[in-house]
Amino acid sequence: MAEVAVQSERRGEGIVISDDWPGYSLDLFSYPAHYSGDLDCVIIPHGVIMDRTERLARNIMDELGDHDIVVLCVLKGGYQFCADLVDRIKALSRNSNHTIPMRVHFIRLKSYLNDQSTEDLHILGAEDLSFLAGKNVLIVEAIVGTGKTMKTLLKHVEAFGPKMIKVAGLLVKRVPHSSACVPDYVGFEIPNRFVVGYALDYNEYFRDLNHICVISESGKLKYKI
């Protein structure tokens, strides 16, 4: 089944999970009991996330090795992916002729209310990014949907005159009216379904899931604000 649902990686697009992929049964995995009934399925198991993250770290090492970079971690959803990606880059640096001196800075974006993206984008911690002038920047984001948020962030960062900007995104969601703002390094391309877990939330819930899961309609109602 997985061979039908998951296509091979294409450069810049990541591993493509097809629209008709039903996901894995929750019965096959361990997850917090307090989310019983709140999830439809596991769409990407934790172990697959970690393996893919290691590969992305290798791609980044191949292209940016020996560059001094500033990692710009997009909170809150991106913190787990960023931490794991940086850990793997550091591990590769310890065992390679190429090294990447890194500094990490955190910013926070918020554009969702319940399961809907809004036009009201808040960028916190990015008021003064003057230290990025002349630097190589790697923006690390958990998920890219329409691309509007990422385009706004890129425009904001570009205003501070960095030498180079690259974007690593764990997930790219296939959505209508996409701006075609595709990250340079992509983990997975996924269907247009609302996913939670691995630090991705629904109104601050589900960040404590290890796997990336599809939230159920009853879960949306339960945690709606």
Side-chain angles (χ1 to χ4, degrees):
M1 181 181 295
E3 292 180 356
V4 176
V6 181
Q7 303 174 19
S8 299
E9 173 190 7
R10 298 195 295 267
R11 186 64 176 170
E13 295 185 357
I15 296 174
V16 181
I17 300 176
S18 65
D19 289 337
D20 58 357
W21 168 233
Y24 296 98
S25 169
L26 293 163
D27 294 336
L28 298 174
F29 300 91
S30 297
Y31 65 97
H34 52 263
Y35 291 137
S36 179
D38 301 333
L39 305 167
D40 276 342
C41 66
V42 174
I43 192 169
I44 310 175
H46 183 258
V48 178
I49 299 170
M50 301 308 290
D51 283 354
R52 182 65 184 142
T53 300
E54 181 174 355
R55 178 63 197 195
L56 292 179
R58 289 182 179 274
N59 292 345
I60 291 169
M61 280 290 295
D62 289 343
E63 295 189 13
L64 302 181
D66 297 326
H67 285 276
D68 187 343
I69 67 173
V70 178
V71 177
L72 207 57
C73 175
V74 180
L75 301 173
K76 296 181 182 177
Y79 81 82
Q80 191 64 64
F81 174 50
C82 183
D84 289 335
L85 182 64
V86 168
D87 278 348
R88 273 143 190 78
I89 292 174
K90 290 192 296 184
L92 291 171
S93 294
R94 289 194 298 268
N95 298 283
S96 171
N97 292 327
H98 295 287
T99 60
I100 299 184
M102 289 183 295
R103 288 181 291 163
V104 181
H105 185 77
F106 299 92
I107 62 172
R108 183 181 176 187
L109 304 182
K110 186 171 178 60
S111 61
Y112 269 84
L113 178 65
N114 296 318
D115 62 346
Q116 298 298 316
S117 180
T118 69
E119 296 295 327
D120 191 14
L121 175 65
H122 298 279
I123 306 178
L124 305 176
E127 294 82 1
D128 182 12
L129 298 177
S130 57
F131 62 91
L132 296 180
K135 299 294 193 301
N136 300 301
V137 179
L138 177 65
I139 298 174
V140 179
E141 170 68 291
I143 186 166
V144 176
T146 63
K148 293 179 181 178
T149 298
M150 183 53 65
K151 285 184 70 174
T152 301
L153 177 59
L154 285 171
K155 184 178 180 180
H156 184 78
V157 172
E158 286 169 357
F160 293 95
K163 179 180 179 182
M164 173 183 69
I165 304 175
K166 295 285 187 179
V167 179
L170 178 62
L171 306 175
V172 171
K173 187 184 293 187
R174 291 189 297 276
V175 297
H177 313 300
S178 172
S179 67
C181 184
V182 180
D184 302 281
Y185 310 100
V186 178
F188 304 88
E189 181 186 306
I190 64 172
N192 187 17
R193 306 177 72 184
F194 199 91
V195 294
V196 294
Y198 194 65
L200 293 168
D201 77 302
Y202 178 81
N203 293 331
E204 298 300 328
Y205 292 93
F206 300 102
R207 295 194 195 275
D208 51 342
L209 279 171
N210 283 334
H211 314 294
I212 294 177
C213 302
V214 177
I215 188 174
S216 66
E217 290 302 317
S218 60
K220 291 179 183 179
L221 289 173
K222 181 177 179 180
Y223 299 107
K224 186 177 181 179
I225 59 175

